[in-house]
């Protein structure tokens, strides 16, 4: 208690100065630092910003750290930078390690000026994939994380639906009409963007009061830390039942994959009316705000007039004018914020003139464009950066942003050097324009932690970062150790998953069995060697909590790669009718999957029970608890359906109770020749809520790491043909009478490399007719053919089919290969496969 009193007294000296820092609340900063490191002795002083950009300075005087900053976030960032720069510790989602020294003498201090005015955080869909059921305790930890990592411009979308419901009630919609439209909390983001409606409806009324109270806590904390939250506005999406109140209203029915929503056109008077009502209702509840997010066109195929026609640009200009003025009517000082995923993903729609027409009616100082996915421009689409293509975004303020995660997937990926230094190109570009912020927009968090630490460090720097030196310092801060094994660990990851970019990193066993033979994680000998070297440190690291958490995750990733190989080896054994080998490999698959699950059972974040507990805790009755749990299960598995396995978590509980049962049922169907009823199994797990099974965790991971690795060494790439990419296989179990429809996921990368398909028949004398081949991307058919000579019979065991695809293919929400087969006759041991032929 005495130390805490001295700590608080030392800060109170500067209360009058600090209160001026962006009207921040000094006591919140004191409490934050105390939560992170109670033993810290620190003094705080105010310094001015520089050209509108935050600045912090550190100074050691005596045995006290003096933090100087231009805002509350600048001060907290300065504190965390001192910890990290001196390798004293780290604050992360999986835990923290702070080792505050007895003496500060000789420790490094410096002055840092942010290269931009703000630091942005979150994606609209993070509120579905990671945050829908968080309570205040978890939010408080996250806001602490934001402030320490220098973030001052987060999305703040909690209670969006509560305000929407108030507006719709005032318009005259009934409770039943509203409830039927709303979706489950984990699916809110896509309803807000006009993609879906009705999933897990009706939403319980009890949800809204809880969320309003929570948003008050969130906004109060953000504002007292000087943050500039971006709150929701009205984007035009409404229940279809609104036509009862406005019979002459022409609603636009929006479509996304196979889902639907309804949109009031910005040109309708009702759009402006609702937009104004929403802002007024929001600010009546939560107070004045500056930034409002309005996204009316996310991944939408909007029926604009043809390019080059005056009608197209007049319509877009009118849309921009109406949307902005609907916000302005509610708050004349408001700034319209718009996501820019479509700028790269749908550039075939959003060419230079089209975007210019949309934004030109908006005053330059009243718009902020989120250039959401610069890493996709650079490493996936390989297209011109948006700030270059749109020539500085037409003098509008904009945010340089990356998307380091899709769907909350646990798989590792990301070119670390790009996240360290990619922003330097924007900072030095002649088309930099009004680059006001740098940020990151992950679809899901609590994964790939090293990437977030690196990017948030980089976003406060205008100097090139040496990634190897940074990883050395990171390791010392995180574990207190950096040795040859850890160095080798990082070097091997830089040769594999952290030297490559995969938009959707998933192992093959995370897809529906039989639909994907090869996953998208960058497996290689270096991948496996990385985790083996990390595990060699285990005997000396017992009791090091962050190392143990990472060891659990790393061993799970290691075993996940082994399962990937096993899936392909099992398929090979099945096609070759190697029954004994097949049974042995299936048994090995089950053993390794359960070991992986047991490893993660004691991980701080990678558990299904933790996710479901957040959801269930929102209900105060058994019925409400079950409702929220069902919705939480859905988003991390089937999603809808039909968007299957998009979220792809590697979690204990999910492995043993969802992924593994699917595979065991699949193997059983292969053995007995009965059809594989996957959809029913999946939906039963989501909607009937079977209890999550209990398991004995691996308690002392450091002592068991070496034996876990040793038990899987024989599983190697030698068991499979790496040069061939098998997409689909078929057997007796896939046919219903004489017909079979095969469906399988294909990655966009595979589509881009595809030149054709090879169909092969094994161990069979009957005839197989390939009746139809189709490929779809994001629900749109991009290729379809009925092969005239697509027959497998007798000596003709192979058929090669050339595929000509359009130049532009986008498949963020999935690409699917669909093949229709017909057989003549009936024989035992029917086997066949479809292999991708590439241009390589």
């Amino acid at each position: 208690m005495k130390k805490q009193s001295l700590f608080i007294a030392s800060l109170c000296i500067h209360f009058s100065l600090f209160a001026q820092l962006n009207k921040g609340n000094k006591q919140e900063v004191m409490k934050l630092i105390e939560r992170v490191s109670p033993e810290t002795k620190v003094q705080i002083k105010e310094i001015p910003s520089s050209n509108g950009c935050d600045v912090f300075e550190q100074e050691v005087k005596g045995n006290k750290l003096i933090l100087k900053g231009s805002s509350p976030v600048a001060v907290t960032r300065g504190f965390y930078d001192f910890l990290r720069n001196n390798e004293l510790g780290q604050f992360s989602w999986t835990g923290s390690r702070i080792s505050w020294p007895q003496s500060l003498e000789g420790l490094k201090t410096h002055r840092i000026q942010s290269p931009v005015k703000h630091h942005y955080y979150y994606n609209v869909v993070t509120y579905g994939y990671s945050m829908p059921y968080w309570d205040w305790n978890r939010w408080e930890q996250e806001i602490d994380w934001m402030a320490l990592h220098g973030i001052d411009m987060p999305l703040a979308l909690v209670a969006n639906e509560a305000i929407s419901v108030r507006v719709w009630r005032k318009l005259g919609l009934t409770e039943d009409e509203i409830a039927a439209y709303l979706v489950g909390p984990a699916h809110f983001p896509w309803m807000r963007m006009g993609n879906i409606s009705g999933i897990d409806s009706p939403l319980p009324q009890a949800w809204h009061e809880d969320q309003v109270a929570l948003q008050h806590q969130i906004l109060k904390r953000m504002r007292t830390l000087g943050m500039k939250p971006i709150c929701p506005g009205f984007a035009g999406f409404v229940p279809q039942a609104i036509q009862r109140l406005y019979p002459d209203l022409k609603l636009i029915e929006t479509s996304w994959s196979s889902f639907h929503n309804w949109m009031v056109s910005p040109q309708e008077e009702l759009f402006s009316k609702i937009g104004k009502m929403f802002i007024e209702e929001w600010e009546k509840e939560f107070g004045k705000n500056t930034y409002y997010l309005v996204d009316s066109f996310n991944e939408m195929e909007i029926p604009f007039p043809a390019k080059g026609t005056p009608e197209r640009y007049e319509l877009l200009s009118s849309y921009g004018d109406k949307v902005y003025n609907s916000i302005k009517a509610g708050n004349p000082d408001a700034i319209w914020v718009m996501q820019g995923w479509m700028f790269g993903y749908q550039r075939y729609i959003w060419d230079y003139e089209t975007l210019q027409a949309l934004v030109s009616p908006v005053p330059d100082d009243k718009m902020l464009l989120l250039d959401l996915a610069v890493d996709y421009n650079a490493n996936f689409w390989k297209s011109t950066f948006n700030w270059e293509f749109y020539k500085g975004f037409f003098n509008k303020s904009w945010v340089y942003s990356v998307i380091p995660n899709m769907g909350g997937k646990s798989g590792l990926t990301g070119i670390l050097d790009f996240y360290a230094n990619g922003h330097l190109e924007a900072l030095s570009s002649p088309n930099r324009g009004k680059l006001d912020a740098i940020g990151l927009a992950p679809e899901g968090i609590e994964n790939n932690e090293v990437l977030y630490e690196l990017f948030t460090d980089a976003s406060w720097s205008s100097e090139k970062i040496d990634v190897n030196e940074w990883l050395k310092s990171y390791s010392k801060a995180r574990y207190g150790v950096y040795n040859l094994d850890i160095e080798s660990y990082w070097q091997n990851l830089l040769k594999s998953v952290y030297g490559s970019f995969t938009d959707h990193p998933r192992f093959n066993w995370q897809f529906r069995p039989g639909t994907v033979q090869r996953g998208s994680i960058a497996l290689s000998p270096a991948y496996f060697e990385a985790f083996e070297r990390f595990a060699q440190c285990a005997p000396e690291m017992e009791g090091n909590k962050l190392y143990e958490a990472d060891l659990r995750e790393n061993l799970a990733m290691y075993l996940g790669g082994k399962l990937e190989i096993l899936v392909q080896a099992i398929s090979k054994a099945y096609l070759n009718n190697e029954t004994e080998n097949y049974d042995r490999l299936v048994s090995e698959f089950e053993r390794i999957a359960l070991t992986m699950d047991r490893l993660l059972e004691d991980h701080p974040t990678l558990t299904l029970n933790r996710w479901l507990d957040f959801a269930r805790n929102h209900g105060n009755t058994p019925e409400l608890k079950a409702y929220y749990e069902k919705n939480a299960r859905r988003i991390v598995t089937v999603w809808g359906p039909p968007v299957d396995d998009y979220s792809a978590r590697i979690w204990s509980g999910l492995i043993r109770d969802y992924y593994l049962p699917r595979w065991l049922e699949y193997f059983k169907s292969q053995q007995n020749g009965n059809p594989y009823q996957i959809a029913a199994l999946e939906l039963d797990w989501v909607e009937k809520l079977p209890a999550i099974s209990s398991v004995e965790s691996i308690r002392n991971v450091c002592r068991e790491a070496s034996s876990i690795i040793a038990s899987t060494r024989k599983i190697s790439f030698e068991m499979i043909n790496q040069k061939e990419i098998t997409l689909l296989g078929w057997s007796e179990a896939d046919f219903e009478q004489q017909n079979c429809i095969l469906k399988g996921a294909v990655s966009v990368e595979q589509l881009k490399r595809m030149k054709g398909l090879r169909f092969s028949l094994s161990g069979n004398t009957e005839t197989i007719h390939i009746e139809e081949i189709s490929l779809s991307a994001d629900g749109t058919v991009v290729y379809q053919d009925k092969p005239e000579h697509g027959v497998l019979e007798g000596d003709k065991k192979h058929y090669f089919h050339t595929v000509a695809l359009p130049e532009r293919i986008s498949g963020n929400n999935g690409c699917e290969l669909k093949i229709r087969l017909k057989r003549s006759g009936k024989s035992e041991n029917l086997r066949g496969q479809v292999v991708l032929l590439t241009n390589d």
Side-chain angles (χ1 to χ4, degrees):
M1 288 297 292
K2 187 175 182 180
K3 285 184 178 179
Q4 290 183 357
S5 298
L6 290 171
F7 166 75
I8 293 171
S10 68
L11 287 174
C12 286
I13 296 172
H14 295 275
F15 175 78
S16 60
L17 285 174
F18 192 73
Q20 299 171 22
L21 300 184
N22 291 339
K23 299 181 180 178
N25 186 320
K26 158 258 184 187
Q27 290 213 349
E28 292 297 348
V29 176
M30 293 194 302
K31 291 175 183 177
L32 191 159
I33 294 174
E34 188 176 18
R35 283 193 294 272
V36 174
S37 181
E39 300 301 314
T40 302
K41 295 180 180 179
V42 62
Q43 190 175 2
I44 297 171
K45 294 184 178 182
E46 179 187 19
I47 56 174
S49 61
S50 178
N51 297 320
C53 300
D54 266 337
V55 179
F56 67 77
E57 296 178 4
Q58 305 146 349
E59 180 184 356
V60 171
K61 185 174 290 187
N63 202 30
K64 186 178 294 182
L65 172 63
I66 300 173
L67 294 171
K68 304 173 185 178
S70 56
S71 73
V73 168
V75 172
T76 52
R77 176 62 195 172
F79 170 70
Y80 191 58
D81 176 88
F82 183 80
L83 288 178
R84 285 280 315 285
N85 194 37
N86 288 289
E87 297 156 2
L88 300 176
Q90 192 180 115
F91 183 86
S92 73
W93 293 312
T94 47
S96 63
R97 187 195 77 87
I98 308 296
S99 180
W100 193 257
Q102 292 294 318
S103 172
L104 302 183
E105 185 178 350
L107 294 185
K108 293 178 283 188
T109 61
H110 56 195
R111 170 188 168 93
I112 294 290
Q113 176 182 324
S114 170
V116 289
K117 294 178 181 177
H118 296 294
H119 296 266
Y120 170 80
Y121 187 40
Y122 288 140
N123 189 303
V124 170
V125 303
T126 325
Y127 279 81
Y129 286 128
S130 290
M131 302 148 61
Y133 292 107
W134 281 1
D135 55 19
W136 170 242
N137 286 336
R138 180 62 187 87
W139 263 108
E140 182 175 57
Q141 293 169 13
E142 187 71 6
I143 296 171
D144 286 354
W145 187 95
M146 286 186 223
L148 292 167
H149 289 80
I151 291 163
D152 67 344
M153 184 177 271
L155 285 181
L157 306 181
V158 170
N160 187 337
E161 286 61 43
I163 302 304
S164 295
V165 167
R166 292 181 191 180
V167 171
W168 293 335
R169 284 172 183 160
K170 288 184 176 181
L171 291 172
L173 286 171
T174 68
E175 298 298 332
D176 288 344
E177 289 170 333
I178 293 170
Y181 171 74
L182 294 175
V183 298
H187 290 79
F188 283 161
W190 297 273
M191 186 193 73
R192 294 165 181 170
M193 294 184 292
N195 303 132
I196 64 172
S197 60
I199 293 179
D200 283 334
S201 64
L203 178 72
Q205 293 289 342
W207 174 262
H208 301 304
E209 289 184 13
D210 171 71
Q211 293 301 286
V212 168
L214 179 60
Q215 181 69 316
H216 273 290
Q217 291 177 290
I218 293 168
L219 290 176
K220 180 180 179 182
R221 180 63 56 83
M222 287 179 175
R223 287 166 176 162
T224 54
L225 288 171
M227 295 181 180
K228 308 294 183 186
I230 299 173
C231 294
F234 174 68
F237 306 107
V238 295
Q240 187 181 22
I242 203 166
Q243 286 184 310
R244 176 181 62 79
L245 304 171
Y246 300 91
D248 297 329
L249 177 67
K250 292 182 180 179
L251 283 181
I252 300 170
E253 184 173 359
T254 60
S255 62
W256 180 77
S257 189
S258 62
F259 301 105
H260 299 274
N261 204 314
W262 296 270
M263 179 182 183
V264 178
S265 168
Q267 292 182 307
E268 295 279 352
E269 189 177 321
L270 183 60
F271 183 99
S272 299
K273 178 180 179 180
I274 298 177
K276 179 175 183 289
M277 290 175 68
F278 185 94
I279 299 293
E280 290 175 339
E281 196 68 37
W282 182 274
E283 295 195 345
K284 178 181 175 183
E285 180 65 49
F286 298 116
K288 288 289 182 182
N289 199 64
T290 301
Y291 295 94
Y292 284 98
L293 182 75
V294 175
D295 288 312
S296 301
F297 311 107
N298 182 64
E299 291 191 4
M300 298 288 194
E301 296 285 346
I302 306 295
F304 297 144
K307 292 179 182 177
T309 62
E311 293 80 9
R312 180 184 184 88
Y313 308 117
E314 289 170 4
L315 176 65
L316 267 295
S317 180
S318 174
Y319 277 6
D321 178 67
K322 299 297 184 183
V323 172
Y324 168 66
N325 279 294
S326 73
I327 300 170
K328 180 182 177 181
N331 178 347
D333 299 320
I335 294 173
W336 174 16
V337 182
M338 184 171 72
Q339 287 190 115
W341 170 249
M342 60 195 184
F343 301 160
Y345 185 68
Q346 293 178 306
R347 193 175 284 176
Y348 62 95
I349 296 176
W350 295 95
D351 59 358
Y352 181 89
E353 292 78 12
T354 298
L355 183 59
Q356 183 183 40
L358 179 70
V359 304
S360 60
V362 185
D364 290 346
D365 62 343
K366 297 300 181 184
M367 189 166 214
L368 181 67
L369 298 175
L370 302 179
D371 191 2
L372 211 65
V374 175
D375 44 352
Y376 274 70
N377 282 108
N379 304 311
F380 187 64
W381 301 320
K382 299 187 185 300
S383 57
T384 307
F385 287 121
N386 290 325
W387 66 85
E388 303 289 0
F389 183 81
Y390 295 113
K391 295 181 172 51
F393 290 108
F394 315 106
N395 206 39
K396 300 295 187 287
S397 295
W398 65 282
V399 180
Y400 174 105
S401 172
V402 296
I403 299 184
N405 179 273
M406 287 288 185
K409 297 176 180 68
S410 307
L412 307 181
T413 188
I415 301 173
L416 292 193
D417 188 70
F418 178 82
Y419 290 109
N421 298 305
H423 67 295
L424 300 180
E425 189 167 346
L427 291 174
S428 62
S429 171
N431 286 316
R432 167 178 172 158
K434 293 182 177 178
L435 173 53
D436 273 4
I438 295 174
L440 62 170
E443 285 197 347
I445 58 173
E446 298 182 334
N447 49 60
N448 279 267
E449 286 195 276
V450 64
L451 193 154
Y452 293 85
E453 289 287 320
L454 175 58
F455 187 83
T456 51
D457 279 3
S459 68
W460 276 76
S461 173
S462 55
E463 302 295 328
K464 185 176 176 63
I465 291 175
D466 183 321
V467 172
N468 288 314
E469 286 300 312
W470 186 92
L471 287 170
K472 179 179 181 180
S473 180
Y474 169 89
S475 301
K476 288 182 177 179
R478 188 166 179 84
Y479 311 124
V481 172
Y482 183 77
N483 55 30
L484 290 176
D485 285 323
I486 292 178
E487 180 183 13
S488 178
Y489 161 70
W490 288 121
Q491 291 306 308
N492 279 291
L493 289 184
L494 289 173
K495 293 175 186 175
S496 54
V497 287
Y498 285 143
S500 60
F501 182 90
T502 301
D503 65 324
H504 295 290
R506 287 173 281 189
F507 293 111
N508 55 12
W509 51 267
Q510 294 180 279
F511 292 86
R512 275 183 169 178
T515 62
V516 170
Q517 282 290 311
R518 187 174 297 185
S520 53
I521 290 175
L523 296 184
S524 67
Y527 175 90
F528 291 109
E529 185 178 347
F531 301 126
E532 290 172 3
R533 292 298 295 269
F534 189 82
Q536 286 183 22
C537 303
E540 292 78 35
M541 300 290 279
E542 189 173 338
N544 186 315
K545 297 302 181 185
L546 285 179
Y547 175 84
E548 289 182 348
D550 289 355
L551 181 60
R552 290 182 184 278
E553 181 176 359
N554 285 342
L555 287 174
M557 295 298 171
Y558 181 85
L559 296 181
K562 298 290 185 175
L563 286 185
E564 167 104 11
I565 294 171
L566 275 177
V567 166
Q568 296 173 69
I570 290 168
S571 177
K572 179 182 174 182
Y574 180 74
L575 288 169
N576 293 334
N577 203 23
E578 300 169 354
T579 304
E580 185 176 335
N581 189 33
Y582 176 90
D583 291 342
R584 180 183 64 80
L585 293 174
V586 167
S587 177
E588 188 73 348
F589 180 95
E590 182 175 10
R591 180 188 71 81
I592 292 174
L594 290 173
T595 302
M596 189 190 320
D597 190 282
R598 292 177 58 221
L599 274 167
L600 295 176
E601 183 69 9
D602 283 341
H603 191 276
T605 60
L606 302 178
T607 69
L608 176 64
N609 277 322
R610 175 177 178 266
W611 174 255
L612 297 183
D613 284 346
F614 276 128
R616 291 182 63 84
N617 287 341
H618 276 276
N620 55 11
T621 67
E623 292 76 18
L624 285 177
K625 288 180 180 293
Y627 170 82
Y628 295 130
E629 179 177 346
K630 180 179 73 171
N631 181 242
R633 288 185 182 218
R634 189 185 302 280
I635 195 70
V636 297
T637 54
V638 299
W639 204 99
V643 183
D644 303 314
D645 299 308
Y646 182 88
S647 195
R649 310 298 170 93
I650 301 173
W651 284 353
S652 72
L654 202 59
I655 297 169
R656 68 179 181 265
D657 283 356
Y658 185 76
Y659 291 132
L660 182 58
R662 288 201 309 186
W663 279 99
L664 294 180
E665 185 65 24
Y666 176 72
F667 296 143
K668 182 180 176 182
S669 76
Q670 287 188 322
Q671 291 166 327
N672 61 29
N674 293 328
Y676 174 44
Q677 304 295 338
I678 181 61
L681 186 152
E682 292 169 336
L683 288 177
D684 282 353
W685 187 86
V686 169
E687 297 179 352
K688 293 185 179 180
L689 305 180
I692 305 302
S693 65
S694 59
V695 69
E696 183 181 350
S697 65
I698 294 176
R699 293 292 182 187
N700 196 317
V701 65
C702 286
R703 294 182 186 178
E704 298 199 37
S706 61
S707 62
I708 289 170
I709 288 174
S711 71
T712 63
R713 283 195 186 278
K714 291 182 180 180
I715 301 170
S716 69
F717 291 116
E718 295 177 359
M719 301 170 67
I720 59 176
N721 184 349
Q722 284 186 275
K723 294 182 179 180
E724 284 197 349
I725 302 176
T726 302
L727 297 177
L728 291 167
W730 71 81
S731 67
E732 184 76 26
D734 296 305
F735 282 82
E736 186 173 339
Q737 296 180 346
Q738 303 300 104
N739 300 300
C740 167
I741 295 178
L742 300 174
K743 295 180 181 180
V746 186
S747 71
V748 176
E749 296 97 325
Q750 289 171 342
L751 283 187
K752 289 178 178 178
R753 296 165 55 204
M754 178 184 290
K755 70 174 183 180
L757 301 168
R758 186 185 75 216
F759 293 78
S760 299
L761 189 62
S762 173
N764 189 286
T765 56
E766 67 182 79
T767 301
I768 298 292
H769 296 271
I770 304 161
E771 298 207 314
E772 186 173 29
I773 302 168
S774 66
L775 280 158
S776 60
D778 284 341
T780 300
V781 175
V782 295
Y783 176 83
Q784 193 169 30
D785 192 20
K786 296 180 179 180
E788 184 177 353
H789 303 292
V791 179
L792 301 169
E793 60 181 349
D795 294 333
K796 187 182 177 184
K797 297 291 188 182
H798 304 285
Y799 169 72
F800 298 88
H801 184 83
T802 301
V803 176
L805 293 171
E807 184 176 339
R808 180 195 62 78
I809 297 176
S810 60
N812 182 58
N813 301 305
C815 303
E816 183 180 67
L817 172 63
K818 182 178 178 181
I819 296 171
R820 185 158 52 88
L821 304 176
K822 187 172 183 178
R823 67 189 291 192
S824 59
K826 185 174 178 64
S827 61
E828 296 181 357
N829 299 322
L830 175 62
R831 304 282 193 276
Q833 65 178 0
V834 184
V835 173
L836 174 73
L837 303 177
T838 71
N839 293 308
D840 299 345

